[in-house]
Amino acid sequence: MDPRAPKGTMDILPPESARRRRVVEAALSLFGAYGYREIETPIFEHTEVFARGIGEGTDIVQKEMFTFVDKGGRSLTLRPEATAGVARAFVQHRLDTSGLPVKLYYHGPMFRHERPQAGRFRQFSQLGVELMGSASPGSDAEVIALCAEFFAGLGVKVDLVMNSVGDAECRPAYVEALKGYLEQNLDGLCEDCRRRARANPLRVLDCKAPKCSGVVKGAPELGEYLCEACRSHREAVEGLLEAAGVSFRRDGRLVRGLDYYTRTVFEFQDPELGGQNALAAGGRYDHLVEELGGKPTPAVGFSIGLDRVMLAGPETGEEADGGVYVVAIGDEARPKAFALAQKLRKAGIRADLDHMGRSAKAQMREADREGFRLVAIVGEEELEGGFVTLRDLESGSQERVNEDALVEEAAGRLRGAAWGAG
RNA sequence: GUGGGGGUAGCUCAGCCGGCAGAGCACCGGGUUGUGGCCCCGGAGGCCGCGGGUUCGAAUCCCGUCCCUCACCCCA
């Protein structure tokens, strides 16, 4: 038996699990404050949902999906991202019939069969929102502002980069123009980009190889090709962000790898992270719902990569110390210690006690290590006298407290600690 | 899928010109008949990733393999 977790997956242990939970809770409560409600969709879907939704030609669909056949012969796939599944649920449950827009958030694991590296795993965790049913620039601005606020709240410094990839009206013409330009300048491109020129011409714009910079500089710009509707949409979104004080950088070379994006695309990048610097990304997808069999429904959303955010060092605050550790001295005192711990727990106070048969000294050490504020000592004297010795680990002072008054006394002291009154 | 680096105690790593498996931290116990942190003393803990080869002898050299890691591709 090999006890190692599968490649690209990981166990999240304390105390990291607690830090993560605080980040998730901060995000979910923020989503709620913006009027979003939670949706849970299956971890796996019919393969077709992703193939059609994300795009047959994308890398995700072509080589990164965990696909399997079930006993009924159906092809299923572990979700590589959440938006396609949410859009599918939107169609299935006719969510458009109960008033638009529909504002949903989700969080959970996603799966892509890729070679793991820093900030990239085969099972990874995303949090995101989808605002469905509105084509208004205000909805783009809302989700972007929401995401910006999420990072600000955690003290994570990010750069917001935005672009417009046009729509069905104007993008094809641009791609043709770009392709033509690249074909004529193949000599000035790196090896990878010569291949990309055909397969994924937009990607060439984002190449970091020095050799390509000259050609990239002279390339036709997507911005020039935007139709009037896309251009004014972009300006409206940018205007709203400026008015709201959300700073961003427009980058005509920002290209996203999912086919469903239209018009607005954006990324929140951490300039200090290595290769995987996109902490969150999203955009508008006005044709996805239709593609999955629903009525034409414009929508916009984003997804936050939780694992990457954790790498960026979010400020989550400290784990609150406190509570009462009940120390039993001598085996005769253990039943009483157990009963007292239960009383404290039932009163909502964090309480614990030794299960290892350890000495008083070792129990004290355990209390200290586990961050307890108070220790309630039960020994021979205490048993006889019906009291406990309550010790404050911070101040080092201790006193006798009547056994029946322990819960009340401990609650009072812990509350005082929370106020910082010592 | 491609390329670089690496797998030795729970963690971080030293040992690698072949010759008894080590340190720091963490853990457990003692120093106090019943009192934490600092300090002192002691203890436990290893298929040296796995398989094969060379050798009197391999953590050390060679081959294979798996895994981790960083980067590319792509992406959160």
Side-chain angles (χ1 to χ4, degrees):
Chain A
M1 171 64 200
D2 180 350
R4 285 175 297 193
K7 190 190 194 76
T9 69
M10 59 183 164
D11 303 307
I12 297 164
L13 309 173
E16 179 62 13
S17 49
R19 283 183 70 227
R20 240 173 114 95
R21 171 179 274 272
R22 289 196 289 276
V23 169
V24 170
E25 282 171 356
L28 301 192
S29 88
L30 191 62
F31 297 163
Y34 275 72
Y36 292 77
R37 295 194 294 170
E38 182 161 16
I39 181 171
E40 283 190 52
T41 65
I43 300 278
F44 56 85
E45 295 271 1
H46 293 293
T47 299
E48 187 188 18
V49 170
F50 304 119
R52 292 177 63 95
I54 298 169
E56 298 277 5
T58 60
D59 273 33
I60 290 180
V61 170
Q62 287 202 327
K63 55 181 197 191
E64 294 174 6
M65 296 203 303
F66 280 96
T67 295
F68 60 99
V69 177
D70 75 2
K71 289 179 179 173
R74 289 170 285 255
S75 177
L76 301 173
T77 294
L78 264 37
R79 61 186 187 192
E81 56 98 56
T83 302
V86 172
R88 192 227 84 233
F90 181 90
V91 174
Q92 175 180 339
H93 301 288
R94 301 293 181 99
L95 296 186
D96 57 313
T97 61
S98 43
L100 296 175
V102 174
K103 299 170 69 166
L104 299 169
Y105 72 80
Y106 59 84
H107 71 108
M110 310 294 159
F111 305 84
R112 291 183 201 171
H113 193 114
E114 298 183 271
R115 191 89 175 252
Q117 74 188 74
R120 190 172 69 193
F121 310 97
R122 289 185 171 181
Q123 175 176 335
F124 56 103
S125 207
Q126 288 191 335
L127 309 150
V129 309
E130 314 289 356
L131 192 163
M132 311 182 71
S134 166
S136 143
S139 41
D140 304 56
E142 175 178 299
V143 300
I144 292 168
L146 166 52
C147 197
E149 197 177 331
F150 166 75
F151 287 113
L154 294 173
V156 173
K157 295 233 173 359
V158 285
D159 295 332
L160 168 57
V161 182
M162 298 187 45
N163 192 23
S164 173
V165 294
D167 61 10
E169 193 78 21
C170 51
R171 182 159 44 177
Y174 172 70
V175 171
E176 278 314 305
L178 179 60
K179 222 180 237 181
Y181 169 81
L182 294 176
E183 299 276 354
Q184 298 196 344
N185 292 279
L186 284 179
D187 291 346
L189 294 175
C190 70
E191 201 176 319
D192 282 338
C193 283
R194 274 176 227 157
R195 182 174 45 77
R196 289 174 186 148
R198 283 218 162 151
N200 188 4
L202 292 177
R203 180 67 180 78
V204 176
L205 300 177
D206 198 31
C207 185
K208 290 134 202 151
K211 181 172 184 183
C212 295
S213 63
V215 174
V216 168
K217 247 177 214 161
E221 294 196 16
L222 181 51
E224 307 285 326
Y225 282 74
L226 290 182
C227 60
E228 186 49 40
C230 286
R231 193 183 306 270
S232 67
H233 186 88
R234 181 182 68 185
E235 280 165 14
V237 173
E238 291 178 354
L240 286 166
L241 290 176
E242 276 162 13
V246 178
S247 56
F248 61 89
R249 174 166 56 85
R250 188 196 282 182
D251 184 347
R253 290 170 305 174
L254 178 66
V255 172
R256 318 245 55 256
L258 291 72
D259 282 356
Y260 56 60
Y261 285 118
T262 53
R263 295 187 171 168
T264 312
V265 297
F266 57 90
E267 258 184 38
F268 286 84
Q269 302 172 348
D270 182 335
E272 295 183 359
L273 245 47
Q276 265 53 54
N277 66 352
L279 300 188
R284 174 162 285 285
Y285 48 97
D286 287 345
H287 306 303
L288 177 59
V289 170
E290 201 177 343
E291 184 68 30
L292 294 176
K295 289 184 191 161
T297 305
V300 60
F302 66 76
S303 193
I304 297 168
L306 178 59
D307 312 283
R308 292 184 184 177
V309 170
M310 297 314 297
L311 290 178
E315 296 162 9
T316 62
E318 296 297 309
E319 183 113 42
D321 280 359
V324 183
Y325 195 90
V326 184
V327 169
I329 297 172
D331 285 344
E332 317 76 48
R334 290 188 183 269
K336 175 60 73 182
F338 185 83
L340 290 174
Q342 284 302 103
K343 267 175 90 171
L344 289 159
R345 290 161 172 168
K346 283 178 185 167
I349 296 170
R350 177 189 180 218
D352 209 349
L353 76 166
D354 174 55
H355 293 298
M356 304 298 286
R358 285 201 243 263
S359 68
K361 172 178 177 158
Q363 292 180 57
M364 292 294 295
R365 191 164 50 231
E366 180 72 3
D368 185 56
R369 181 171 40 212
E370 294 298 326
F372 284 89
R373 173 68 191 269
L374 300 174
V375 167
I377 299 166
V378 186
E380 200 175 342
E381 279 179 57
E382 286 84 353
L383 281 179
E384 282 172 14
F387 59 89
V388 301
T389 299
L390 191 60
R391 179 179 177 85
D392 185 323
L393 289 186
E394 204 164 287
S395 67
S397 65
Q398 64 184 45
E399 62 179 313
R400 293 180 173 188
V401 171
N402 190 289
E403 192 188 305
D404 296 327
L406 173 62
V407 168
E408 194 182 349
E409 180 66 23
R413 288 172 185 249
L414 293 171
R415 202 160 38 239
W419 291 335

